[in-house]
Amino acid sequence: MLMPSGVMLLLGAWGVRRQDAIWRDEAVTYDMAHRSLPDLWHTLLHVDVVHGLYYALMHVWFRVYDVTLDGTFGEVVGLRLPSVAAMTAATAGVALLGHRLVGRRAGLLAGFTFACIPVVQQYAQEGRSYATVCALVVWATYLLVLTAATAVPPHAPPQPRPRPRLWLGYTALMLTACLLHEFACLVLPVHAAALILARLPRRVLRAWALSTATVLAGLAPLAVFSTRQSAQISWLMWPDPLQLLTFAVLAVLGLGCARVRIRSRGPIGLRALGIPLLLLPTLLLLLLSHVEPAYVDRYVLYYVVGFALLAGAALARLLRPAGEAGQPRARRLRRTAAVALVLAALLPIDVHLRSPDSRVDDVTAIARAVRAVAEPGDGLLFMPARRRIWTATRPHDFRGLTDLALDKSPLASHTLYGTERSGDAIRARMLARRRIVVAGDPDGQPADDNDQEIAKRATLRDAFEVCRTTEVRGARITVYGRSGACGTGAAR
């Protein structure tokens, strides 16, 4: 199964720098991973505890990378390399799953299909936990299928053989996946459905139930504590229509692939695993979103594994060699050409994913834009305050500027974005400056209504005029000046 993994590795390496663009969530990863472990611990007590294990692992990774490879490849590659490796491992797991469920050809094509899915390539090149969670879920699912196959081997005696090591491995992988991201637990109902549909012996179901109980017990403290930080996802509203469309297309295509006549090899059938894996995690998260908005497709990224398994098996059947099982050469050529056309149609999407415009903002471009327009001694404002994360990866571009609203830095306050002074204090500090550089959201974004943001907007409107404005990906950099302070720079 090295060929699909090799393809995924090449796709992950292709354009991984993305012109050195880093978006805001990756900037958070970089910042948190470079804090000391005590500082990281104190920060997690206030914010982002759901990603705590990932930040700790990235902290260890950067301790090694920064003294070995950083000078050669740079911080951007270091930030994304673990995700490339994780998605490469996930591809190998998908190929082995397809092999175990249907056969070698189905496994190879499932691996290739997985690697070619645009959303897989997107998160293979992102410094966040989602690729790692996907890999852990894939390998946990493989161990589950392997356990079922060895528990009820062909022509076996009625008493199945216990395989405690496989169950321990399954439990460890699932627990780690859930601790990296809580919504990994939504794959557990998928596994339950697969085991029930396979009609396995009760002792197998009991062993799975024990493993699941262990996973949920290990996850419970994190889940309970993280509810105190639920305001972090208050920005979530109704799901993104494009994400829903992607899911709908893959679901329809996957169900269509499931109609192709396929013979499964083990007690857990391809459809019994593939269809629930494709549908259940997303549907369960959408149901949860009716109680509290929580749906983002990356939270259940592993659902695409279900599509890859179904599509790989269908392609193995439809693209079988000419002459095999009555396959005419002309039909095989037509089907192969259709697959090639689909891959060609996906190429512009793949190219776009490797450009800075593929993410909501570009922290690197924003920092450079601030440096280009700022003068020593200028004041600096972030609107809203959470955009202070734009300084995390390139703090040198903000040197010589005074953050007028900042009370305590992110590190000193054990927060992601630092804490700000009162609205009155911010206004007083603003009025003492002749020029202020404002790094803010572009037009069309909702404005925060807290005391600090209201004071910033009111003071800029009443006491300053616009000197110049620069638009970059995901941000607007505006220089404001008191009357006569703009000099020769025309407002635009």
mmCIF file of all heavy atoms in Angstrom, residues 14 17 76 78-79 106 125 140-141 175-176 181 195 202 220 263 265 277 290 348 419 421 425 428 439 442-443 455 464:
data_model
loop_
_atom_site.group_PDB
_atom_site.id
_atom_site.type_symbol
_atom_site.label_atom_id
_atom_site.label_comp_id
_atom_site.label_asym_id
_atom_site.label_seq_id
_atom_site.Cartn_x
_atom_site.Cartn_y
_atom_site.Cartn_z
ATOM 1 N N TRP A 14 3.604 19.173 -2.322
ATOM 2 C CA TRP A 14 3.393 20.118 -3.424
ATOM 3 C C TRP A 14 2.784 21.427 -2.889
ATOM 4 O O TRP A 14 1.689 21.458 -2.380
ATOM 5 C CB TRP A 14 2.479 19.490 -4.470
ATOM 6 C CG TRP A 14 1.974 20.434 -5.526
ATOM 7 C CD1 TRP A 14 2.640 21.485 -6.077
ATOM 8 C CD2 TRP A 14 0.675 20.411 -6.139
ATOM 9 N NE1 TRP A 14 1.842 22.123 -7.017
ATOM 10 C CE2 TRP A 14 0.645 21.483 -7.074
ATOM 11 C CE3 TRP A 14 -0.447 19.593 -5.999
ATOM 12 C CZ2 TRP A 14 -0.487 21.745 -7.848
ATOM 13 C CZ3 TRP A 14 -1.559 19.852 -6.776
ATOM 14 C CH2 TRP A 14 -1.575 20.917 -7.686
ATOM 15 N N ARG A 17 4.358 25.322 1.203
ATOM 16 C CA ARG A 17 4.668 26.648 1.773
ATOM 17 C C ARG A 17 3.539 27.645 1.556
ATOM 18 O O ARG A 17 3.335 28.556 2.359
ATOM 19 C CB ARG A 17 5.944 27.204 1.136
ATOM 20 C CG ARG A 17 7.211 26.491 1.565
ATOM 21 C CD ARG A 17 8.425 27.194 0.984
ATOM 22 N NE ARG A 17 9.653 26.501 1.333
ATOM 23 C CZ ARG A 17 10.304 26.662 2.468
ATOM 24 N NH1 ARG A 17 9.846 27.501 3.367
ATOM 25 N NH2 ARG A 17 11.412 25.985 2.712
ATOM 26 N N VAL A 76 7.206 27.697 8.330
ATOM 27 C CA VAL A 76 5.947 27.299 7.688
ATOM 28 C C VAL A 76 5.921 25.801 7.426
ATOM 29 O O VAL A 76 4.936 25.125 7.709
ATOM 30 C CB VAL A 76 5.739 28.093 6.379
ATOM 31 C CG1 VAL A 76 4.510 27.576 5.635
ATOM 32 C CG2 VAL A 76 5.582 29.577 6.678
ATOM 33 N N GLY A 78 7.703 23.565 8.984
ATOM 34 C CA GLY A 78 7.664 22.911 10.284
ATOM 35 C C GLY A 78 6.273 22.860 10.870
ATOM 36 O O GLY A 78 5.895 21.888 11.529
ATOM 37 N N LEU A 79 5.501 23.906 10.623
ATOM 38 C CA LEU A 79 4.136 23.966 11.131
ATOM 39 C C LEU A 79 3.246 22.927 10.471
ATOM 40 O O LEU A 79 2.351 22.354 11.111
ATOM 41 C CB LEU A 79 3.580 25.369 10.892
ATOM 42 C CG LEU A 79 2.217 25.727 11.458
ATOM 43 C CD1 LEU A 79 2.229 25.658 12.983
ATOM 44 C CD2 LEU A 79 1.813 27.126 10.999
ATOM 45 N N ALA A 106 -9.189 -2.876 -4.697
ATOM 46 C CA ALA A 106 -10.100 -1.932 -4.046
ATOM 47 C C ALA A 106 -9.349 -1.085 -3.024
ATOM 48 O O ALA A 106 -9.608 0.118 -2.881
ATOM 49 C CB ALA A 106 -11.249 -2.674 -3.378
ATOM 50 N N GLN A 125 -2.179 20.137 4.555
ATOM 51 C CA GLN A 125 -1.256 21.269 4.510
ATOM 52 C C GLN A 125 -1.683 22.367 5.481
ATOM 53 O O GLN A 125 -1.562 23.547 5.184
ATOM 54 C CB GLN A 125 -1.191 21.820 3.076
ATOM 55 C CG GLN A 125 -0.621 20.830 2.076
ATOM 56 C CD GLN A 125 -0.410 21.448 0.709
ATOM 57 O OE1 GLN A 125 -1.082 22.384 0.323
ATOM 58 N NE2 GLN A 125 0.547 20.908 -0.033
ATOM 59 N N ALA A 140 -7.651 3.261 13.979
ATOM 60 C CA ALA A 140 -8.518 2.613 14.968
ATOM 61 C C ALA A 140 -9.577 1.771 14.264
ATOM 62 O O ALA A 140 -9.879 0.641 14.693
ATOM 63 C CB ALA A 140 -9.183 3.662 15.857
ATOM 64 N N THR A 141 -10.132 2.288 13.171
ATOM 65 C CA THR A 141 -11.133 1.540 12.410
ATOM 66 C C THR A 141 -10.507 0.292 11.796
ATOM 67 O O THR A 141 -11.127 -0.777 11.776
ATOM 68 C CB THR A 141 -11.731 2.432 11.311
ATOM 69 O OG1 THR A 141 -12.275 3.616 11.911
ATOM 70 C CG2 THR A 141 -12.827 1.706 10.550
ATOM 71 N N LEU A 175 -8.927 6.874 22.070
ATOM 72 C CA LEU A 175 -8.814 7.828 23.172
ATOM 73 C C LEU A 175 -7.919 8.999 22.776
ATOM 74 O O LEU A 175 -8.251 10.168 23.052
ATOM 75 C CB LEU A 175 -8.271 7.134 24.421
ATOM 76 C CG LEU A 175 -8.074 8.036 25.643
ATOM 77 C CD1 LEU A 175 -9.388 8.718 26.040
ATOM 78 C CD2 LEU A 175 -7.519 7.240 26.825
ATOM 79 N N THR A 176 -6.811 8.702 22.112
ATOM 80 C CA THR A 176 -5.919 9.780 21.672
ATOM 81 C C THR A 176 -6.625 10.688 20.671
ATOM 82 O O THR A 176 -6.510 11.921 20.741
ATOM 83 C CB THR A 176 -4.644 9.191 21.041
ATOM 84 O OG1 THR A 176 -4.026 8.305 21.972
ATOM 85 C CG2 THR A 176 -3.667 10.303 20.676
ATOM 86 N N HIS A 181 -9.338 15.889 19.581
ATOM 87 C CA HIS A 181 -10.539 16.636 19.208
ATOM 88 C C HIS A 181 -11.752 15.834 19.666
ATOM 89 O O HIS A 181 -11.935 14.677 19.286
ATOM 90 C CB HIS A 181 -10.618 16.884 17.706
ATOM 91 C CG HIS A 181 -11.548 18.012 17.360
ATOM 92 N ND1 HIS A 181 -12.908 17.862 17.370
ATOM 93 C CD2 HIS A 181 -11.307 19.303 17.033
ATOM 94 C CE1 HIS A 181 -13.477 19.018 17.046
ATOM 95 N NE2 HIS A 181 -12.527 19.912 16.843
ATOM 96 N N LEU A 195 -20.436 -3.200 13.730
ATOM 97 C CA LEU A 195 -20.387 -4.445 14.500
ATOM 98 C C LEU A 195 -21.761 -5.112 14.585
ATOM 99 O O LEU A 195 -21.888 -6.339 14.478
ATOM 100 C CB LEU A 195 -19.854 -4.163 15.899
ATOM 101 C CG LEU A 195 -18.378 -3.736 15.992
ATOM 102 C CD1 LEU A 195 -18.025 -3.356 17.421
ATOM 103 C CD2 LEU A 195 -17.460 -4.850 15.496
ATOM 104 N N ARG A 202 -21.378 -12.153 20.806
ATOM 105 C CA ARG A 202 -21.609 -11.188 21.881
ATOM 106 C C ARG A 202 -20.326 -10.804 22.596
ATOM 107 O O ARG A 202 -20.204 -9.672 23.067
ATOM 108 C CB ARG A 202 -22.619 -11.768 22.873
ATOM 109 C CG ARG A 202 -24.038 -11.828 22.323
ATOM 110 C CD ARG A 202 -25.004 -12.251 23.403
ATOM 111 N NE ARG A 202 -26.385 -12.256 22.904
ATOM 112 C CZ ARG A 202 -27.437 -12.577 23.641
ATOM 113 N NH1 ARG A 202 -27.273 -12.925 24.926
ATOM 114 N NH2 ARG A 202 -28.647 -12.552 23.104
ATOM 115 N N ALA A 220 -14.220 12.206 29.289
ATOM 116 C CA ALA A 220 -15.205 12.954 30.089
ATOM 117 C C ALA A 220 -14.617 14.170 30.813
ATOM 118 O O ALA A 220 -15.216 15.257 30.759
ATOM 119 C CB ALA A 220 -15.884 12.010 31.078
ATOM 120 N N ARG A 263 -18.440 -7.717 -3.356
ATOM 121 C CA ARG A 263 -18.437 -8.820 -2.380
ATOM 122 C C ARG A 263 -17.386 -8.534 -1.317
ATOM 123 O O ARG A 263 -16.197 -8.441 -1.619
ATOM 124 C CB ARG A 263 -18.147 -10.152 -3.073
ATOM 125 C CG ARG A 263 -18.201 -11.334 -2.122
ATOM 126 C CD ARG A 263 -17.989 -12.637 -2.858
ATOM 127 N NE ARG A 263 -18.026 -13.774 -1.956
ATOM 128 C CZ ARG A 263 -17.868 -15.042 -2.327
ATOM 129 N NH1 ARG A 263 -17.656 -15.317 -3.614
ATOM 130 N NH2 ARG A 263 -17.918 -16.013 -1.445
ATOM 131 N N ARG A 265 -15.077 -9.283 2.098
ATOM 132 C CA ARG A 265 -14.272 -10.460 2.431
ATOM 133 C C ARG A 265 -14.410 -10.898 3.885
ATOM 134 O O ARG A 265 -14.168 -12.043 4.203
ATOM 135 C CB ARG A 265 -12.804 -10.158 2.148
ATOM 136 C CG ARG A 265 -12.520 -9.823 0.704
ATOM 137 C CD ARG A 265 -11.084 -9.392 0.508
ATOM 138 N NE ARG A 265 -10.125 -10.415 0.874
ATOM 139 C CZ ARG A 265 -8.812 -10.255 0.828
ATOM 140 N NH1 ARG A 265 -8.312 -9.073 0.465
ATOM 141 N NH2 ARG A 265 -8.001 -11.219 1.166
ATOM 142 N N LEU A 277 -19.972 5.447 8.072
ATOM 143 C CA LEU A 277 -18.831 6.349 8.228
ATOM 144 C C LEU A 277 -18.998 7.597 7.364
ATOM 145 O O LEU A 277 -18.619 8.707 7.773
ATOM 146 C CB LEU A 277 -17.538 5.616 7.859
ATOM 147 C CG LEU A 277 -16.218 6.351 8.065
ATOM 148 C CD1 LEU A 277 -16.088 6.877 9.485
ATOM 149 C CD2 LEU A 277 -15.047 5.448 7.708
ATOM 150 N N HIS A 290 -28.353 21.961 16.102
ATOM 151 C CA HIS A 290 -29.673 22.527 16.358
ATOM 152 C C HIS A 290 -29.828 22.921 17.827
ATOM 153 O O HIS A 290 -30.647 23.771 18.167
ATOM 154 C CB HIS A 290 -30.767 21.531 15.962
ATOM 155 C CG HIS A 290 -31.003 21.460 14.486
ATOM 156 N ND1 HIS A 290 -31.713 22.411 13.804
ATOM 157 C CD2 HIS A 290 -30.601 20.564 13.556
ATOM 158 C CE1 HIS A 290 -31.766 22.100 12.518
ATOM 159 N NE2 HIS A 290 -31.085 20.984 12.337
ATOM 160 N N PRO A 348 -7.879 22.490 -10.937
ATOM 161 C CA PRO A 348 -7.922 23.911 -10.536
ATOM 162 C C PRO A 348 -8.204 24.099 -9.048
ATOM 163 O O PRO A 348 -7.674 25.035 -8.429
ATOM 164 C CB PRO A 348 -9.067 24.473 -11.389
ATOM 165 C CG PRO A 348 -9.167 23.559 -12.567
ATOM 166 C CD PRO A 348 -8.820 22.200 -12.036
ATOM 167 N N THR A 419 -5.162 40.919 26.926
ATOM 168 C CA THR A 419 -6.287 41.656 27.512
ATOM 169 C C THR A 419 -6.114 43.135 27.205
ATOM 170 O O THR A 419 -4.995 43.623 27.045
ATOM 171 C CB THR A 419 -6.362 41.448 29.032
ATOM 172 O OG1 THR A 419 -5.114 41.855 29.636
ATOM 173 C CG2 THR A 419 -6.618 39.990 29.365
ATOM 174 N N ARG A 421 -7.210 47.417 27.766
ATOM 175 C CA ARG A 421 -7.572 48.430 28.741
ATOM 176 C C ARG A 421 -9.051 48.779 28.604
ATOM 177 O O ARG A 421 -9.733 48.344 27.675
ATOM 178 C CB ARG A 421 -6.726 49.692 28.527
ATOM 179 C CG ARG A 421 -5.230 49.446 28.626
ATOM 180 C CD ARG A 421 -4.447 50.653 28.147
ATOM 181 N NE ARG A 421 -3.014 50.359 28.087
ATOM 182 C CZ ARG A 421 -2.164 50.552 29.077
ATOM 183 N NH1 ARG A 421 -2.598 51.059 30.221
ATOM 184 N NH2 ARG A 421 -0.883 50.256 28.941
ATOM 185 N N ALA A 425 -9.605 54.431 28.802
ATOM 186 C CA ALA A 425 -8.144 54.439 28.747
ATOM 187 C C ALA A 425 -7.656 54.346 27.308
ATOM 188 O O ALA A 425 -6.681 55.004 26.914
ATOM 189 C CB ALA A 425 -7.579 53.298 29.583
ATOM 190 N N ALA A 428 -8.092 57.755 25.630
ATOM 191 C CA ALA A 428 -7.083 58.723 26.062
ATOM 192 C C ALA A 428 -5.745 58.457 25.379
ATOM 193 O O ALA A 428 -5.049 59.395 24.957
ATOM 194 C CB ALA A 428 -6.939 58.671 27.579
ATOM 195 N N ALA A 439 -5.191 47.585 12.164
ATOM 196 C CA ALA A 439 -5.293 46.290 11.477
ATOM 197 C C ALA A 439 -6.644 45.693 11.835
ATOM 198 O O ALA A 439 -6.876 45.305 12.987
ATOM 199 C CB ALA A 439 -4.149 45.371 11.906
ATOM 200 N N PRO A 442 -11.956 43.156 7.032
ATOM 201 C CA PRO A 442 -12.452 43.844 5.832
ATOM 202 C C PRO A 442 -13.926 44.185 5.970
ATOM 203 O O PRO A 442 -14.591 43.774 6.939
ATOM 204 C CB PRO A 442 -12.216 42.813 4.722
ATOM 205 C CG PRO A 442 -12.239 41.491 5.427
ATOM 206 C CD PRO A 442 -11.660 41.736 6.788
ATOM 207 N N ASP A 443 -14.440 44.912 5.018
ATOM 208 C CA ASP A 443 -15.849 45.275 5.037
ATOM 209 C C ASP A 443 -16.727 44.020 5.017
ATOM 210 O O ASP A 443 -16.357 42.976 4.461
ATOM 211 C CB ASP A 443 -16.192 46.142 3.818
ATOM 212 C CG ASP A 443 -15.631 47.550 3.954
ATOM 213 O OD1 ASP A 443 -15.334 47.953 5.092
ATOM 214 O OD2 ASP A 443 -15.486 48.228 2.920
ATOM 215 N N ALA A 455 -15.206 52.274 21.799
ATOM 216 C CA ALA A 455 -14.320 53.417 22.023
ATOM 217 C C ALA A 455 -13.357 53.603 20.850
ATOM 218 O O ALA A 455 -13.083 54.738 20.424
ATOM 219 C CB ALA A 455 -13.549 53.223 23.330
ATOM 220 N N PHE A 464 -9.966 61.573 14.108
ATOM 221 C CA PHE A 464 -8.944 61.221 13.125
ATOM 222 C C PHE A 464 -9.548 61.208 11.723
ATOM 223 O O PHE A 464 -10.761 61.138 11.552
ATOM 224 C CB PHE A 464 -8.348 59.836 13.440
ATOM 225 C CG PHE A 464 -7.506 59.789 14.673
ATOM 226 C CD1 PHE A 464 -8.091 59.651 15.929
ATOM 227 C CD2 PHE A 464 -6.122 59.884 14.591
ATOM 228 C CE1 PHE A 464 -7.320 59.612 17.079
ATOM 229 C CE2 PHE A 464 -5.342 59.843 15.735
ATOM 230 C CZ PHE A 464 -5.934 59.704 16.982
#
